[in-house]
Amino acid sequence: MTMAYKDIIVIDGRKDLLLIAPHGHRKDDENTAELTRQIALRLDCQAIVNFVFRKPRGQERPDRDRHLLNLNKADQAYFHPDFIDALQSSVDTPERTLVIWMHGIKDENIEAEAKRTDSFRGTPALLLVLAGYGQGQSPKTGNPKSRYTADPQTVKRLVSSLTGNGLAAIAVRNDAPSYRGRHEGYMNQWFLQNNYPLSSVESIQLELKYTGVRDHGSMETASERFAKSLIKLI
């Protein structure tokens, strides 16, 4: 670890995988930071983990000194003195880097997605992970074309690996209102906007259910299952 716990934590490790928890504050995507840290330690891979910055709410304005930053929004991520530098140094390597953004989703929201898609045919309560990689229309500009941040085959392999290791997963439907990693102002699109080809960086946004993945009783098993799933892709 290269930074104090009062700030984001940067973990060094193998260069072909980078895990990022941008909303790890307990009032945002609860336990995504700790789960990400556990997976990184299991795989000895790179990670950027945020425990202390939370998303501004209501009339609050971004404020680094008050730890009010949404590190999944590019315009706010630049307010942090080290976040973007840590991101760049992690992927500026000769080899391809797979970047996984670890987000949380409410149980009722992921179960609603399970009901709305044809790609998951099990009981909605069993779906644990959604994968977004820039598919479908832009929610910001209305551009109808997908803007893939990862090769669809990579996502297919990841979804299959997660499901095979006990973390039932699907790719988000193209017309979902959110969760697709398609918004140009959010960090899953940052690499494309900064001219990193998919041969250099593939970026995938995962939405993780609380029950069965992020709750305190599930995290140790979930971290092991994520590690087993991701090692097959790197």
Side-chain angles (χ1 to χ4, degrees):
M1 296 182 184
T2 60
M3 295 184 185
Y5 191 73
K6 65 182 180 180
D7 210 316
I8 62 172
I9 295 171
V10 177
I11 301 173
D12 196 12
R14 58 186 301 162
K15 304 303 181 185
D16 49 4
L17 178 63
L18 171 62
L19 307 177
I20 308 174
H23 292 157
H25 191 281
R26 59 185 176 80
K27 292 185 178 180
D28 290 334
D29 294 349
E30 185 177 358
N31 291 338
T32 53
E34 178 57 24
L35 178 61
T36 300
R37 189 189 71 84
Q38 290 185 23
I39 299 167
L41 294 178
R42 287 182 183 275
L43 292 174
D44 189 28
C45 72
Q46 302 179 105
I48 303 173
V49 184
N50 166 40
F51 283 91
V52 300
F53 288 89
R54 71 165 175 83
K55 294 183 285 186
R57 292 181 174 82
Q59 299 301 311
E60 292 177 333
R61 299 180 63 82
D63 188 325
R64 186 188 71 190
D65 294 333
R66 295 176 58 207
H67 292 147
L68 295 175
L69 290 178
N70 184 341
L71 294 177
N72 193 50
K73 288 187 174 182
D75 58 351
Q76 294 187 39
Y78 279 103
F79 287 164
H80 191 282
D82 302 302
F83 186 81
I84 296 296
D85 285 347
L87 191 65
Q88 287 180 304
S89 64
S90 296
V91 301
D92 285 344
T93 66
E95 56 193 304
R96 163 188 165 272
T97 303
L98 176 63
V99 179
I100 304 291
W101 298 86
M102 304 286 280
H103 289 269
I105 184 173
K106 293 180 179 179
D107 287 11
E108 58 266 31
N109 290 347
I110 193 170
E111 291 175 17
E113 281 300 309
K115 295 174 183 177
R116 294 187 182 111
T117 182
D118 294 331
S119 60
F120 188 75
R121 301 185 180 182
T123 303
L126 298 179
L127 182 61
L128 300 178
V129 183
L130 298 178
Y133 58 106
Q135 61 269 48
Q137 175 179 300
S138 167
K140 182 179 181 181
T141 67
N143 187 317
K145 295 183 179 180
S146 295
R147 183 176 164 86
Y148 291 138
T149 58
D151 187 316
Q153 288 302 312
T154 300
V155 181
K156 184 176 180 179
R157 288 174 57 216
L158 175 59
V159 165
S160 177
S161 186
L162 288 168
T163 300
N165 281 290
L167 293 167
I170 59 170
V172 188
R173 57 195 169 94
N174 284 17
D175 59 349
S178 52
Y179 313 127
R180 294 179 285 114
R182 177 65 179 83
H183 194 293
E184 290 90 344
Y186 292 176
M187 289 301 296
N188 190 57
Q189 289 284 329
W190 186 87
F191 300 100
L192 285 184
Q193 293 174 342
N194 286 274
N195 301 314
Y196 288 87
L198 296 187
S199 58
S200 175
V201 178
E202 291 185 272
S203 181
I204 302 172
Q205 175 177 312
L206 296 185
E207 301 288 341
L208 314 177
K209 190 177 183 180
Y210 182 78
T211 302
V213 183
R214 295 185 288 122
D215 63 277
H216 290 285
S218 300
M219 278 198 295
E220 183 175 357
T221 298
S223 69
E224 182 179 5
R225 290 175 175 175
F226 270 108
K228 288 180 178 179
S229 302
L230 291 168
I231 198 67
K232 296 179 180 180
L233 276 76
I234 53 179

